[in-house]
Amino acid sequence: MNGFGSPAEANYPRMQRMTNSSSSPSLLNDSAKPYTGHDPLGSPASTLFNDFGGLSISQRRKTPNPTASEFIPKGGSTSRLSNMSQSNISAFSQALFSHPSMAGPAAAGLAPGMSLSAGSSPLHSPKITPHTSPAPRRRSHTPNPATYMVPSSASTPVTNSASQPPSAGQVIQKETVGGTTYFYTDTTPAPLTGMVFPNYHIYPPTAPHVAYMQPKANAPSFFMADELRQELINRHLITMAQIDQADIPSVPAEVDSYHSLFPLEPLPPPNRIHKSSNFGYITSCYKAVNGKDDLTYCLRRVHGFRLVNTKCMSLVDTWKKIQHSNIVTLREMFTTKVFGEHSLVFAYDFHAGAETMMSRHFNDPSADAYFTKRKWGQHDGPLPRQHAGLLPESLIWAYIVQLSSALRTIHTAGLACRVMDPTKILITGKTRLHVNCVGIFDVLTYDGSQSNPVAVMPQYQQADLISLGKVVLALSCNSLAGIQRENLQKAMELVNINYSSDLKNLILYLLTDQNRLRSVNDIMPMIGARFYTQLDAAQMRNDVIEEDLAKEVQNGRLFRLLAKLGTINERPEFQKDPAWSETGDRYLLKLFRDHLFHQVTEAGTPWIDLSHIVSCLNKLDAGVPEKISLISRDEKSVLVVTYSDLKRCFENTFQELVAAANGQL
């Protein structure tokens, strides 16, 4: 199938077999023989389509990366406990989609749109019974392969079916919803015949459009990029940070339905008189967890404010409906006296690791030197330039696109931002902006005597455009001193010398009074094709992150396998049998554990290869018919078993443990 849902070309290429690129002698072999399933597809225990997995590790780097966080096998070494039997990648004996019947174990059909990804290991979460008819869900839901029936051209008709059988190539799907069984024909065009898929997980190489944009050629190929991993870890640490209540007693344990408060900025002293330059009140900010949904939020507290008019809640409700990628969403507002005085608290979404634009770009006092008045005899310093004291123009346009997009959404809703200020604009990552503290001014300055409070919003919207112009001018000068009235001419000269005329015209348009009401849409022609540049950058960033996600998409499944294997191996006692883990099926699993982790080279040194471990686990999860040799530690016994046998032992043993844990034994 192509990307538009139409049938692919008739000459759809056959999928090539994945070959082993590791030095492991017991890894994938390119030989193939007809696959014979160990259980019919229609049986409840079928795992043919439930478990497809494996590993093919690309070694196409130009240069090795010894610092990558991966296991690198020793080149040229052979395993002492290497595989002594035939190894293969099984191919289907027939074309995958041209099966005549599913009665035999060697023939299997794959319904159109069905996922090839392996499901969870033996104990997975049960499927939630849907509450609607399956008809509207057939496109978005990956159905259970056991519920599929053969095409009407086969010899197994649908019993008690009053309708005419569908044409060849269509699949009749059966699904039970609320006790009612539905039969309906999946009209998705059937894929072409001749496709061959691996019968366990194979890891594909990096997509070429992502590989060619990678800034680091030696990035880890098994795991996500270190930079992204570190950023996510930092966000998790900040989200889970807590305080010692004994050290900061002024922070209450609970506020309304929120608990685990953590100050996000230095707390003001108790006797502080200075008020916020933005809101006219003393404010403080906390991270807290809502006990209703266990999610983390940001609480902005306005000290000493007593709400006397609740009509402003209509504006708060409007703010709560706004969802935008560049706006920190307001979730709720409430009053409290837990802090010892009347306080107004606004709850916003929490963006861990965010910093204000003020701290990111305007925290260097030396940047104001160009606008500082010189004493007699002092000479002006060198003129700031891009990448040499000034921000690159591409970054400024990226900020303009995001801020104008946020203002457009706010103004369309009939509201005004009123907090377009570097101290209230958050930056996450490298260039992602979030307008913070929206809605606070609407509550603090609400005038209940006005019959229509929204009537003054056009004036505030004009002020938003002026504030946007000041922010852009400050970014262009890399200094807040540039937006002062006495420095405007000098600041515009600096913009004229270093930046394009479009940026200059945009700043002049936003800061110049007009005879008519302006709109944020008026600056769209000035942005022009730069909007597409930002869209392209965002999509490329999405491709890179998706590729990093694809590297670790199977980690949870492999971890569940290892966790279950760990509960079985070396268990001291079970059902008053101290030798339980050393007998029967458990002994095979113990030898398989040694086959995974405890192999050595001919010289007796540990043989460590992550590709071998992942490949064997994927084959175990899929239960492939490939044979392996398991050697006892004293090397006196050699057992030749298949992965399907190991999987049966694995599932039965773990089910026995679960039954005992639930008191069923």
Side-chain angles (χ1 to χ4, degrees), residues 297-299 319-320 322-331 346-351 354 406 410 419 424-428 432-439:
Y297 295 91
C298 175
L299 303 183
W319 276 112
K320 291 163 63 175
I322 293 182
Q323 300 286 336
H324 192 273
S325 59
N326 299 118
I327 300 175
V328 182
T329 305
L330 175 64
R331 295 301 176 183
F346 295 83
Y348 296 92
D349 289 345
F350 177 64
H351 295 274
I410 294 173
V419 286
K424 298 298 178 288
I425 299 175
L426 302 181
I427 303 178
T428 56
R432 179 74 175 275
L433 297 186
H434 307 270
V435 180
N436 194 21
C437 298
V438 294

Side-chain angles (χ1 to χ4, degrees), residues 28 179 422 476 575 615:
L28 307 181
S476 303
Q575 298 293 321
S615 177

Side-chain angles (χ1 to χ4, degrees), residues 2 10 16 26 140 143 179 187 245 287 322 335 375 394 404 422 440 450 475 514 580 606 665:
N2 59 26
Q16 297 181 354
S26 58
S140 59
T187 58
Q245 201 69 30
K287 173 184 70 70
I322 293 182
T335 59
K375 296 181 180 179
S394 59
S404 60
I440 294 182
Q450 294 183 354
L475 290 170
Q514 304 290 332
W580 178 80
L665 291 182

Side-chain angles (χ1 to χ4, degrees), residues 383-396 476 495 497-500 503:
L383 187 68
R385 297 286 184 178
Q386 286 195 56
H387 307 286
L390 297 181
L391 299 178
E393 185 171 354
S394 59
L395 177 62
I396 298 177
S476 303
V495 173
I497 294 174
N498 291 279
Y499 297 104
S500 64
L503 183 60

Side-chain angles (χ1 to χ4, degrees), residues 25-26 29 82-88 626-629 640-641:
S26 58
N29 191 313
S82 61
N83 190 351
M84 299 172 58
S85 61
Q86 296 182 355
S87 175
N88 61 79
E626 179 183 331
K627 296 180 180 180
I628 61 171
S629 59
V640 180
V641 297

Side-chain angles (χ1 to χ4, degrees), residues 574-575 653-665:
F574 180 74
Q575 298 293 321
T653 303
F654 188 76
Q655 291 290 351
E656 186 179 356
L657 291 177
V658 173
N662 296 334
Q664 299 175 2
L665 291 182

Side-chain angles (χ1 to χ4, degrees), residues 1 7-15 92 94-100 108 110 168-169 189-197:
M1 302 296 293
E9 297 181 1
N11 55 350
Y12 192 93
R14 180 180 296 269
M15 178 179 291
F92 293 115
Q94 299 181 2
L96 189 58
F97 299 108
S98 60
H99 56 278
L110 182 64
L192 300 179
T193 60
M195 298 183 184
V196 178
F197 292 92

Side-chain angles (χ1 to χ4, degrees), residues 7 37 67 73 87 105 153-154 190 195 274 298 344 429 438 514 536 643 648:
T67 61
S87 175
S153 60
M195 298 183 184
H274 178 68
C298 175
L344 188 63
V438 294
Q514 304 290 332
D536 178 60
Y643 282 99
R648 184 178 63 255

